[in-house]
Structures are given as C-alpha cells and as structure tokens.
Amino acid sequence: MTTDSIVTQRQANLAERLRQYQDRLGDDRGLVVEGRLTRMVGLTLEAIGCRAAIGGQCDVVSSNGTHIEAEVVGFGEESLYLMPTGDIQGLEQGARVIPTGRVCEAVVGEQLLGRVIDGAGKPLDGLGTIHNDERRPLTGTSFNPLARTPIREPLDVGVRAINALLSVGRGQRLGLFAGSGVGKSVLLGMMTRYTNADVTVVALIGERGREVKEFVENILGKEGLKRAVVVAVPADNPPLRRMHGAMLATSIAESFREQGKHVLLLMDSLTRFAQAQREIALAIHEPPATKGYPPSVFAKMPQLVERAGNGDKGGGSITAFYTVLTEGDDQNDPIADAARAILDGHIVLSRRLADAGHYPAIDIEASISRAMNDVTSYSHQDAARSFKHLYSIYQQNRDLISVGAYEAGSDEQIDIAISAMPALSQFLRQDMNTRVTLEQSMQDLESLFPAEDVDDIEIPEGLNLPQTIEQ
C-alpha cells in the first residue's frame, strides 16, 4: 500500500468519524450520558453510569441488536433500577442504557372508538394503525375534590338486583368482589351491554388471554364495540405493562369525560393491577408490610381509583366498576379490604349461590351502595330495606328451616320470611340475556312492598308473590 493510499484511507476514516459525531449532534435527544447494564434479577434491570428520573424511559441496546424499552422504577446510590415493558429475550450484560428523556403517555381521542389496543396503545385488532396525535399524561391530572360534581343522578345498569337494592349513581365507583368462577365476568358483561353510557372503556388487566376475544365478540358484539374502547393486557405481559394498561384505560376515560360525555369504565381486575405493583416493588427490594404486599401497593390503588368519578363544572362523568378477586373467597384479603375502603360501594358475589345455580350470585346482605340514598326516593329506600330485612331473617334461620327444626307459628317475622322467600329469590334472579330497566326494577320492587300512596301497581307476570307479604 502506497503512502498516498494510506493517507486517503486515514482521511476517509476521519471523515466517517466526523459524520458519526455530526449525526449524534443532530439527534433530537441531544447528547446524553449512556450507562451500561450490570445486573438483572427476575425482570429488574440494574444500570450504572447514567441518570434518569422516576418514570423516565430508557432504551436498552445490546451488541447483538436486541433493543427493548424500560422505565425507571427506582434508584440506589449509583444504580438505576429499570423494569422492561416488553420481551427481554436476547438481552446481555454490558448492554447500553440510553435515557431518552421521555415519559410514558396515553394516546386518547375519538379514533380509539371501536378499537382493541394493548397497554402501550398499539392496536391488537388488525385494523391498521391508529392515527392520533392527541396525548395526555398516563398518570392523569388531579383536581380539587371540592370541584367534583356530587352524585345526584341514578344510573340504569340493566340488572334488577342492582337497580332496585344497590342503586348506582352516575359517577360512582363500585367493586365486584368474588372468587374465581363465581360469575363476575358475566355480570360485568351484562352491565357492559345494558348500562346507559355515551362511551364504554373496558380494561382487561392480567386476566386470561382467551377472554379478550370472547369478551369482544360474545359480550360487546359489533354494535357495542362501536362506542367502546378495549384495553387488553393479558397475564403474560410484564407487570409494568399491566399497570400501564390500567392507567391507559383510565386516561382514555378521562379524555372523554372532559368532552362532557358519560363514560362507563369497567376494569377486570383491580387485584391484578395491585399484584403487578407488588411484583415491581418486591423486585426493587421494597419490604413487604401486609401479607406480602409492600406499602406502595396501597398507595397506588387510590391514585388509580380516585381518577374516576364525576368531573367538575357539571361536565361529564366516569362511572367505574372494578372487579376484585378474593382469593379463597376471603373477604378480608388485604386488597379486598383496601378496595372496600376507597370505593363507593361493593357488590359481593357468593359461591354458595353460584353453586346453587342462582345467577347473578349477588349476596345482598354483604353488598352495599354508598350513593343509593342520594339517588333514590324515600319510598324506594323503604321498599329496599323491607326486602333486605325479610331476606336477612330467612338467611339467619336458614339452617333451622332446612332441617325442619323450626316450628311454624313460633315467630311471625320468620313465618312471613319463609312465605316470601320464593318471590324474593325469583326477584334476585335474572337471565344474562335479559335486560331489566331501572323503571321496571322499581315497579317490581314496589309490587313486592307497595308504598302507602301506591294502590294501583300491577303485579308483573313471572313473580310468584305470596299473599302474606306485609310492608
């Protein structure tokens, strides 16, 4: 090789290096200090040599071409703790960790109606890219609690037992508490189809993947999907993506509420959201406090739930139903106990009723709607109390009655409860494909327990009413 060729080669190498530096200077991220991946335990990545804020995004790039996105979830004296939002196969020690300066945002807007998306806002339905530049913070924005519009308007959910005995107000947040296989998904589907709302946002968080297609096709249907947005993040997704899915669904509901629309938010389930936060917290060495749950779990739950509800200035609303999985049917499970404290009511599903073929298997005695008195009349409340009183008397003496130990005539109230029980039980039953409006629900209840000023209510067909029922 001649001297001239050597000089030419060096000039070419220098020009190439200058071009690379020029490209980096022109990068819209500007100059950043890169770190490197030093450790990985479970799904937690540990990096040194760079700095980023909590919630900030980083790109992790291996020499073999593997590229993943991760979010900062904690930091130590010299280390950053990151959690990936996708697959980590192929990641290697020493990979470059590049802070991007970005934070996760929620894609919102009318273009989402009729679509099924994942926790990152990307389409899952094969209907093409969602062209939408409207974004908002994934964590939402808080506002003055005194600015919230009070709950004053009843909401028709299409389920007689709930409409009549656990009346829901528009803007209320309720929990569906049940163990596995008791029918909470079916009840959720009934309310999806029958509730009067402008927009429905469904968040399927951490549940079985097969349920997504079944929910979209069998429960929502083509007509229901037209005014709905489905955010699906099945159980095989990383915990951070599952949390993002719940927050994304809430951000989408918030955007429609700001447009003055009445939104129905259905999240299945709040328990999986809490479990995802537990996985993240334990992975970064946060000590457990309550039955394996770190304190951050009980801080994240109200932050999510409080974003629902009525807006300010009399605008739109978000009525939210969160399913809560009670493991082993334990109603004192830490997540169930915390959820009851932050929600505006709870609907408990009973395995005993479900095993007996009683659907929906709502345990009226254990359920309550804290907003019922604000959205119902006094006569409605009196009739509901009379119903619960008789139902409770029967349940308290059910064992004695079942074994024949109770002698008729010993207690007048028990005699009335025994006589009324067939009608009460039938009132609580409802086929999943049948809608019972709020008006019809109230008429059925008043037929059982007529108010003093109502004398001409006709008894609806199908209710086998005993003649001995008294107000």
Side-chain angles (χ1 to χ4, degrees):
M1 183 178 291
T2 64
T3 302
D4 291 340
S5 62
I6 293 175
V7 172
T8 302
Q9 181 65 37
R10 287 179 177 176
Q11 289 176 340
N13 292 339
L14 180 60
E16 175 63 21
R17 284 173 135 185
L18 290 173
R19 186 189 64 78
Q20 292 177 0
Y21 292 142
Q22 186 177 14
D23 289 344
R24 293 188 64 183
L25 287 171
D27 192 337
D28 60 359
R29 294 177 302 185
L31 293 175
V32 296
V33 177
E34 297 181 1
R36 63 185 181 89
L37 189 63
T38 59
R39 189 167 179 258
M40 175 178 172
V41 178
L43 290 177
T44 307
L45 311 179
E46 186 175 339
I48 61 171
C50 59
R51 300 178 65 180
I54 294 293
Q57 289 183 298
C58 295
D59 291 333
V60 184
V61 184
S62 295
S63 59
N64 58 12
T66 302
H67 179 283
I68 70 165
E69 292 182 352
E71 181 177 310
V72 179
V73 295
F75 54 83
E77 195 169 318
E78 297 180 355
S79 303
L80 279 183
Y81 298 114
L82 304 104
M83 190 69 64
T85 58
D87 189 15
I88 58 174
Q89 293 298 323
L91 203 60
E92 62 182 11
Q93 188 177 17
R96 296 164 58 201
V97 179
I98 309 170
T100 65
R102 300 189 303 267
V103 295
C104 288
E105 293 182 314
V107 178
V108 299
E110 297 284 343
Q111 292 83 353
L112 294 175
L113 291 175
R115 303 301 300 270
V116 182
I117 60 177
D118 64 9
K122 299 178 181 178
L124 294 173
D125 48 17
L127 299 179
T129 305
I130 300 173
H131 300 286
N132 190 1
D133 295 329
E134 187 179 353
R135 296 177 179 272
R136 62 183 300 127
L138 195 65
T139 54
T141 55
S142 59
F143 55 87
N144 190 334
L146 294 179
R148 280 190 187 270
T149 304
I151 299 174
R152 292 291 183 266
E153 182 183 351
L155 180 68
D156 183 1
V157 299
V159 180
R160 180 168 49 220
I162 298 177
N163 279 341
L165 305 175
L166 305 167
S167 302
V168 178
R170 195 178 292 279
Q172 191 173 352
R173 292 85 52 93
L174 286 101
L176 296 180
F177 291 69
S180 57
V182 183
K184 61 182 184 299
S185 296
V186 175
L187 181 58
L188 204 68
M190 292 174 66
M191 290 187 288
T192 303
R193 293 195 302 271
Y194 303 145
T195 300
N196 293 325
D198 299 322
V199 177
T200 301
V201 180
V202 181
L204 304 176
I205 308 299
E207 298 297 327
R208 294 178 289 274
R210 70 168 181 82
E211 291 183 338
V212 177
K213 189 175 181 68
E214 292 178 0
F215 192 94
V216 172
E217 294 184 354
N218 301 338
I219 295 179
L220 270 180
K222 291 183 179 180
E223 290 301 317
L225 187 59
K226 289 180 181 179
R227 62 179 182 91
V229 182
V230 179
V231 181
V233 192
D236 58 347
N237 281 255
L240 190 62
R241 180 61 56 84
R242 279 177 262 150
M243 292 190 65
H244 283 181
M247 292 188 287
L248 172 61
T250 307
S251 295
I252 294 171
E254 286 176 326
S255 70
F256 285 114
R257 179 179 63 187
E258 290 178 0
Q259 298 174 20
K261 295 183 178 181
H262 297 299
V263 184
L264 176 65
L265 173 62
L266 305 170
M267 187 172 296
D268 188 11
S269 66
L270 184 63
T271 302
R272 302 304 185 196
F273 171 83
Q275 290 175 345
Q277 173 59 26
R278 177 176 64 175
E279 291 179 42
I280 294 172
L282 293 178
I284 60 176
H285 314 301
E286 182 182 350
T290 307
K291 294 186 178 180
Y293 287 94
S296 62
V297 173
F298 304 102
K300 290 285 186 181
M301 286 174 59
Q303 289 176 6
L304 179 71
V305 170
E306 282 296 319
R307 293 169 61 183
N310 285 331
D312 54 357
K313 300 177 183 178
S317 65
I318 301 176
T319 305
F321 288 89
Y322 302 91
T323 63
V324 180
L325 181 63
T326 52
E327 299 181 4
D329 296 323
D330 180 12
Q331 297 298 326
N332 294 318
D333 174 85
I335 298 302
D337 197 44
R340 274 195 300 270
I342 60 178
L343 292 170
D344 301 325
H346 48 272
I347 300 171
V348 179
L349 302 186
S350 166
R351 187 173 300 277
R352 177 181 61 81
L353 292 174
D355 291 343
H358 184 292
Y359 290 101
I362 299 175
D363 187 344
I364 293 299
E365 291 183 289
S367 305
I368 190 172
S369 171
R370 293 189 175 119
M372 181 172 176
N373 291 344
D374 297 325
V375 298
T376 56
S377 64
Y378 289 119
S379 60
H380 183 177
Q381 296 167 25
D382 287 340
R385 280 193 293 268
S386 298
F387 186 105
K388 293 180 179 180
H389 177 67
L390 277 185
Y391 187 85
S392 179
I393 288 176
Y394 183 88
Q395 295 301 328
Q396 291 171 10
N397 297 276
R398 183 166 57 90
D399 292 339
L400 291 176
I401 297 170
S402 299
V403 300
Y406 174 74
E407 184 177 347
S410 301
D411 188 300
E412 182 181 2
Q413 289 293 315
I414 298 178
D415 291 340
I416 296 175
I418 294 173
S419 179
M421 194 58 194
L424 303 184
S425 180
Q426 188 172 350
F427 180 90
L428 296 175
R429 294 173 185 260
Q430 184 176 333
D431 184 83
M432 63 176 293
N433 296 314
T434 302
R435 177 183 182 179
V436 182
T437 65
L438 177 61
E439 182 181 0
Q440 184 62 47
S441 301
M442 293 175 64
Q443 289 179 0
D444 291 351
L445 180 62
E446 290 173 350
S447 297
L448 286 170
F449 302 95
E452 293 179 357
D453 56 346
V454 179
D455 300 322
D456 56 351
I457 295 180
E458 296 181 359
I459 297 175
E461 295 182 1
L463 283 177
N464 183 21
L465 299 178
Q467 299 299 318
T468 55
I469 295 184
E470 300 176 0
Q471 186 177 2

